[in-house]
Each structure stands twice: as structure tokens, then as C-alpha cells.
Amino acid sequence: MVPHGAAARYLLRTEIVTALREGGATPVALVPNPNEGYLRRELEEQGIVVEKLEASDVPIGVLQTVFAYVRQSVLGRSAHVETLRSRHANARRGLARSKPLTARALDVAIRLLRRSRLMRRSLLRLEEVLQRPRAHRQLFRRYQPALVVTTSPGWFLADALLLREARREKVRTAALVLGWDNPTSKGYLGARPDVVVAWSEGMARQLVENHDLDPKRIVVGGAPQLDLYARPTELPARDEIFAELGLDPARRLVLFACRSPSSYGHNVTVAGVLADAMDGGRLAAPVQVVVRPHPINLRSDHRLPLLEYAEMSERHENLVIDVPAVSSERLSCDVPSADYRRLAGLIAHCDVLVNAFSTTTLEAFLLDKPVVLVSDEAHRAAGLADASLEGRPFHLDTHMQSSLGAARVARSFDELIAHVNTYLEDPTLDADARRRLIAAEGGPLDGRRGLHIGRYLVAQLAAAGERSEAPVPSGRARARHVALDDGSRQEATP
């Protein structure tokens, strides 16, 4: 199932598809935009059947809204997860103004659920019974699938609905974790797949502790969307990237990868600080700045103007705005493979990456590039209003805590420039910490994670004839690993 562009990148534009086809499987992609020519052509050339994802159009009623609100505020260890606590506090303020009695009642339920594994599992079971529309009944009948694959265990509504529907149809399920932050920032899962593929051992522990999953249901497979970064010889050459964007090969490169504007409202401000420092001679070497807006800027329900970036580029000769080539109105944030390749090339050939605590941190670390993280404290130190739509301290997000020793954190705009200069003068600083973080958070990194996960899914197809509550047999209480070999084995015990 592919409800958005990030899922398309993970499932459709990695070697997962290659492995499925080699294993004799016929992939059927459920997408919200089956009639858009660019996607249909791309997928049909790979032997992928394209069908409509009906779950994305299922109306959300009051009951589903309540379930979602509660689950998004609860984890098994949510009292210690700052991301959820701050997000719930913001959501509660709005609810308390409009429905104070409802807010208090839900507060009681959330406190109880945070303390009780039994209550969390019971709540999920109740939701599964009450909210399981059969939106894809005809597709299940037509294709009789042996395996349903999603990119979350129900953190997103469409995933939850399809996983529940598959269980009702007695079809085996696998959830591949899409994002680095998902197990700690999205709230409690919305379904219980037969197997979940985590990035790393650390993420596997989060799934057990936060989502009450049986370790026997979890395998460690890495992150296929990072495969490109683990094969640096296949990335675009510096001359190619610089020529494509009109960059000066004599200047060093500072890349600013913007955060989603839904969680950070000062991307333009940070870009301006870097550009002014560049033109004002405050940086340690002659540089150029490339600003990469987040694809969500172009999503139909955001449609944020890029005029400020364009005007800034006109004022600063060595500032380039690299706007992602978003392909679809319906498949949100869908960026073609060539665009991801250009981003990878920019990261590979930049001298310093600046971001506001995003996953591009891992991508840079894979290429041993230094990173400066802009804290939301920086705009407050400058006296700027909080323009974040979430209004939460993202520098305290659980998944980013391990980055703090491997990257420099800018808590003011002066610190931002100072840290960029530190790395321009010595890019080897913090290199050991970068390598340690990648080893801990990235999972297996052989550059062929898509291929191995695809082969693992083929093995799940072979097991689909006998549905089991513990589909990954193991006598151990640890997650197993998807094999690192040539595919002759499908699993290997750590």
C-alpha cells in the first residue's frame, strides 16, 4: 500500500520490487492516484499492477477521531517521550477551549492507557472491531493476495484500515517501518501486523516497549531508502551536480535541508541568516548556499508560496534554491527517483549540512558529512514569534537525542554561523561520533537492504498458507535480522 510519496520511495523505488519479481511475486500497488499517467507508466514498466487505494477516501467519523486522538497521545513509555507529551499538550489546549468536559474525560483515559498494557491492547481491539470498513473487498476477491504490505503498523489511518481488513480476510500482513522517528512520535499503533520490519535493534526495542509488540513478530532489516547513500560510488559526481544547479566549483558548499513547514515556520529565516553570513564575509571560506525546501511545501493541502525563497535568491548571487520536483497532486510529496538522486549528490558533495533536526542528518552521516542542527531555541533567542504549526520543542524529540553528540546544535543564529565555520575549518570533527550513531540507528548498511527485505517478503509469501500469531518462530526474546547474504538464507539470528 502506497498512500503518500515517502511510501512510494520506500516500496516502489528500491530493490524491494526487484526481489519480489525475482521471487515470482506479482506486486499490486494500491495508490490514491491510479489514473495519473506518470505513475502508472513507471509501475507497469516494472511489472507492478496499479489499483485504487480506497482506504484513503474512507470518511473519518467522530468515533474514529476519538480513537486517533487517544492513540496519538499514548505509548507504552509515553511518560518519557517528550515528542508525544508536547504534542498532546498542544492538541489538548484546543480541545479544552471547545469541549472542556470531553478534554478532561480523555485525559483520564490517556493516563490509564499510559500505565496499562492490557488497556492499550484492549483499546486497540475495540477499535479494530468498531472501525474496519471493507473498502477493498472486491480487490481481495479479485487478486486473492498472499501478503499485504504497509509502511507502518497503523500509525497512519489508511495503513490501519487496510491491515484490519487483511486480518478479516485472513491474509498475512507485514509492516515496514518508514521513518526514523515513527515508533516514538506517531503514538500507539493502529493494527497488529503478523511481522514488523524495523531499521535497527534500537528501533526493535522501541516497538516492543512503546507498542507492546511481541519481539518474535519483529525483524531488523535496515532502511532501503538509505541504500543509495551506502553506495557512494553510484552517486552523481561533483561536477555533474554543480553543473546541473549552476554552482561555482571554486566555492565550498553549505546545504540547508529545510524542515517540514508544518512543524517549523522559520526555514526562510535560517536560509536568510546563512545567505547574509555568506555575503557579509562571516563564513570561514568562500562558500555558496543551496537551500532545499521540503516537498510538503508543494502538497495540495499546504501549497505554501516559494516567493520568499525566489526573492532571496535574486538578492544573493551565490544562493541557489533547489525546489523538489513533486510529481502529483494526489500522491502527496511524491518525488521522482532522479530528484532523490540529486539530493543525495548534494549531500555527498556539500561541506556542511544544516537542518532543523531532520532525517537528512542520517543521510549526511552515512557519507561522513558534518551536520549543524538548528534548534527551535534559535528563533526564540532572536525574539521571533513561534511560527510552528505544532509549537513543540522538536530538539527534544526522542529519536534525535542520539544525534546530539555527533552534530553541533545551534541554539542561536550566531551559534549557527559559528558551528558552520567550525566544520568548514575541520570537517573531521565528530567523525567517530557520526559513525557510532549510524551503526546504532541505521541498522544493517550494506547498500542492498531493499533486496534483502524483498527476499524476506518472498519468504513470508511462502508461509502465507498457514496463518500464525507468531509468524517468525524464535526461541529468543530479541528481534531477528533479515539476512545479509546473497539470499540463500532468509533470516539470520543475531
Side-chain angles (χ1 to χ4, degrees):
M1 186 182 76
V2 184
H4 44 70
R9 179 189 181 190
Y10 188 118
L11 288 174
L12 305 178
R13 300 189 178 111
T14 64
E15 290 181 310
I16 287 177
V17 170
T18 303
L20 290 174
R21 297 292 296 164
E22 289 177 351
T26 300
V28 178
L30 302 187
V31 298
N33 59 330
N35 296 322
E36 287 195 85
Y38 85 94
L39 186 66
R40 181 171 286 276
R41 287 190 298 272
E42 176 186 349
L43 299 189
E44 288 181 348
E45 286 175 1
Q46 300 179 70
I48 300 173
V49 179
V50 183
E51 291 286 357
K52 176 74 163 61
L53 174 62
E54 302 293 349
S56 59
D57 293 330
V58 171
I60 301 175
V62 173
L63 191 58
Q64 180 61 57
T65 301
V66 171
F67 278 123
Y69 175 89
V70 171
R71 280 196 294 102
Q72 288 169 8
S73 303
V74 169
L75 286 176
R77 298 176 65 248
S78 55
H80 307 290
V81 177
E82 179 61 34
T83 309
L84 254 63
R85 291 200 304 175
S86 57
R87 183 174 291 157
H88 174 238
N90 294 332
R92 191 197 182 285
R93 279 193 289 270
L95 183 63
R97 285 193 295 268
S98 59
K99 298 179 180 178
L101 293 179
T102 300
R104 286 197 287 272
L106 291 177
D107 282 347
V108 173
I110 288 168
R111 282 197 296 271
L112 291 172
L113 288 162
R114 287 175 174 175
R115 296 171 184 170
S116 171
R117 180 175 184 267
L118 177 61
M119 288 193 66
R120 291 191 295 272
R121 294 177 68 94
S122 299
L123 174 74
L124 177 57
R125 182 60 185 150
L126 177 62
E127 184 179 356
E128 288 175 332
V129 169
L130 297 178
Q131 299 286 331
R132 52 176 183 178
R134 304 188 70 175
H136 306 92
R137 181 183 298 185
Q138 294 305 316
L139 293 180
F140 276 99
R141 295 292 181 269
R142 184 185 311 161
Y143 293 105
Q144 298 184 3
L147 182 69
V148 165
V149 180
T150 64
T151 50
S152 87
W155 293 312
F156 309 106
L157 179 60
D159 290 343
L161 295 180
L162 185 63
L163 289 169
R164 294 171 198 169
E165 191 171 5
R167 175 178 288 274
R168 188 169 184 176
E169 297 285 346
K170 296 182 171 54
V171 176
R172 199 176 186 82
T173 55
L176 318 180
V177 177
L178 177 65
W180 183 21
D181 69 314
N182 290 179
T184 58
S185 71
K186 301 301 183 187
Y188 200 66
L189 48 69
R192 293 199 177 279
D194 290 312
V195 65
V196 180
V197 180
W199 289 21
S200 64
E201 287 285 359
M203 183 178 286
R205 287 192 295 273
Q206 291 171 351
L207 291 167
V208 173
E209 294 172 355
N210 294 342
H211 300 279
D212 305 318
L213 282 170
D214 185 338
K216 295 177 183 178
R217 291 179 180 266
I218 304 170
V219 295
V220 172
Q225 63 270 53
L226 299 180
D227 279 350
L228 183 62
Y229 294 90
R231 305 198 299 260
T233 58
E234 298 179 21
L235 296 177
R238 186 176 190 269
D239 291 347
E240 177 186 343
I241 287 292
F242 276 46
E244 185 176 350
L245 293 177
L247 300 174
D248 183 351
R251 286 178 170 265
R252 299 172 75 181
L253 175 59
V254 174
L255 173 63
F256 173 41
C258 299
R259 188 178 175 92
S260 165
S262 64
S263 62
Y264 186 58
H266 289 287
N267 289 305
V268 174
T269 302
V270 173
V273 167
L274 292 170
D276 288 342
M278 172 182 67
D279 285 356
R282 295 179 59 204
L283 295 178
V287 305
Q288 56 211 321
V289 175
V290 172
V291 177
R292 170 87 175 187
H294 195 283
I296 207 171
N297 276 275
L298 305 175
R299 203 170 79 180
S300 58
D301 60 344
H302 280 66
R303 194 59 65 196
L304 298 180
L306 297 172
L307 181 61
E308 289 179 284
Y309 290 112
E311 291 176 345
M312 190 183 304
S313 180
E314 291 178 359
R315 293 196 304 271
H316 299 277
E317 180 181 358
N318 293 299
L319 176 70
V320 173
I321 311 299
D322 179 35
V323 179
V326 175
S327 304
S328 171
E329 287 282 334
R330 193 78 174 91
L331 187 62
S332 64
C333 301
D334 189 30
V335 176
S337 297
D339 199 79
Y340 280 121
R341 185 173 181 270
R342 184 169 74 242
L343 173 59
L346 280 169
I347 295 175
H349 301 299
C350 76
D351 293 279
V352 181
L353 172 69
V354 176
N355 69 47
F357 289 78
S358 80
T359 303
T360 54
T361 299
L362 284 183
E363 296 167 8
F365 285 177
L366 272 166
L367 299 169
D368 196 25
K369 295 296 178 178
V371 176
V372 178
L373 304 171
V374 183
S375 167
D376 58 336
E377 296 165 298
H379 66 262
R380 295 192 181 98
L384 300 176
D386 190 353
S388 166
L389 299 184
E390 293 185 359
R392 62 187 178 86
F394 52 77
H395 64 284
L396 297 179
D397 283 359
T398 303
H399 71 290
M400 292 301 303
Q401 292 303 300
S402 58
S403 301
L404 301 186
R408 302 295 169 101
V409 179
R411 294 181 169 83
S412 70
F413 293 136
D414 285 339
E415 278 194 0
L416 168 61
I417 302 308
H419 291 328
V420 169
N421 281 334
T422 295
Y423 281 137
L424 287 173
E425 291 169 350
D426 186 357
T428 66
L429 290 173
D430 306 318
D432 288 343
R434 292 195 288 270
R435 285 190 285 273
R436 287 194 297 270
L437 184 139
I438 281 296
E441 301 286 344
L445 293 168
D446 62 345
R448 289 288 182 263
R449 288 294 92 206
L451 192 64
H452 298 307
I453 288 175
R455 287 171 175 164
Y456 176 77
L457 296 177
V458 170
Q460 292 296 296
L461 288 170
E466 297 181 8
R467 185 176 179 85
S468 168
E469 288 301 311
V472 187
S474 170
R476 295 173 176 241
R478 295 179 62 191
R480 293 163 68 88
H481 281 232
V482 175
L484 299 176
D485 62 13
D486 62 0
S488 58
R489 293 180 295 121
Q490 292 302 329
E491 295 177 1
T493 303

